Amino acid sequence: MKFVPDTADEVEFAADHTIGRPAAGSMLSELDEYAVEQALQLRDALPGSTVSVLTVGPEQAEGALRKALQMGADEAYLVTDDAIACSDVFGTVRVLTAAALTVPDVVVVLCGMSSTDGEMGVLPALLAGGLGWPLLSLAATLTVTEAGLRIERTDEVGTRTVEATLPAVVSVTDRSGEARYPTFKDVMAAKKKTVTRLDLAALGVAPAEVGAVAARVQVRDITRNPDRPPGRVVVDHEGSSVDELVAFLTAR
């Protein structure tokens, strides 16, 4: 899961062209809530299993982890290290791969379909490649089978049914099922749950493998989209609007 700025807030950029991430107004990525929900449903289908949530970010990212714990996750892991700052998606995946293997007995890694800030949508595939596990991507439904997992995904061609054995990486879409809303009891219980902190040294990842120094993707410049021009109002006077609309459409 990912700690992201609130999409309702005005986006600001730092001098190094990274997205500003103030502690206030940042949150658990809404698309990742669907992944948390599916993880909780898998736990119900697999007796004896637990749900761990994992993120890479600053100390403030604990707030997003707490939201997932309030939803019902059992434990959380926060990878935080100054050297990770300004990593591109490849550096982030390097850290996540190492961190996922640190969590005991992992058999399924669930991701959202994309983040609500970067919106690249490539992390699940890169993570599956780093782990060497099969990928079930863009799942609209997710079920447990005797052999592993089965998903249904819908694309421009149609609906496909795809299966994989475990361990596996799965990304789910916002069509996979509404995320549950934590009750007051859930919120209070989450305060007692553990958030384990990890750094690069604990993961065996060298600082040279992450951060701006290792980034393969660089943002050279940022230009805001121009403001939308004001709309044109057509007032009808005994059918005059027809001529105005025709003239407007033919001029374009």
Side-chain angles (χ1 to χ4, degrees), residues 3-163:
F3 175 65
V4 299
D6 191 331
T7 53
D9 292 341
E10 182 73 15
V11 176
E12 296 183 355
F13 295 91
D16 58 2
H17 295 155
T18 58
I19 297 177
R21 300 179 186 277
S26 294
M27 56 189 287
L28 168 62
S29 177
E30 294 178 16
L31 291 174
D32 286 344
E33 291 186 18
Y34 297 96
V36 175
E37 175 62 34
Q38 291 305 308
L40 297 173
Q41 292 190 28
L42 278 183
R43 182 182 62 188
D44 295 339
L46 298 169
S49 62
T50 58
V51 174
S52 303
V53 288
L54 165 66
T55 194
V56 177
E59 284 290 338
Q60 299 95 312
E62 181 179 338
L65 289 171
R66 290 290 174 190
K67 173 62 182 297
L69 292 173
Q70 292 169 8
M71 292 175 63
D74 299 291
E75 60 179 3
Y77 292 82
L78 170 60
V79 183
T80 185
D81 195 304
D82 290 343
I84 300 174
C86 299
S87 294
D88 62 4
V89 66
F90 299 101
T92 302
V93 166
R94 175 70 182 95
V95 176
L96 285 174
T97 300
L101 295 175
T102 300
V103 181
D105 304 319
V106 173
V107 292
V108 180
V109 173
L110 278 155
C111 309
M113 62 187 289
S114 178
S115 63
T116 54
D117 53 358
E119 297 186 352
M120 294 182 68
V122 299
L123 188 143
L126 293 175
L127 185 57
L131 292 169
W133 296 358
L135 170 67
L136 297 172
S137 61
L138 302 178
T141 66
L142 175 62
T143 55
V144 177
T145 67
E146 291 185 4
L149 296 174
R150 176 187 299 122
I151 71 164
E152 287 188 355
R153 62 191 304 260
T154 302
D155 54 28
E156 64 277 5
V157 176
T159 299
R160 307 166 187 258
T161 300
V162 188
E163 297 184 357

Side-chain angles (χ1 to χ4, degrees), residues 232 234-236 239-252:
R232 179 180 174 184
V234 176
V235 180
D236 184 73
S240 63
S241 62
V242 175
D243 294 335
E244 285 191 60
L245 287 173
V246 171
F248 175 77
L249 293 172
T250 54
R252 299 174 66 88

Side-chain angles (χ1 to χ4, degrees), residues 13-18 212 215-223:
F13 295 91
D16 58 2
H17 295 155
T18 58
R216 306 183 207 177
V217 178
Q218 292 184 340
V219 178
R220 307 298 297 179
D221 192 20
I222 296 173
T223 304

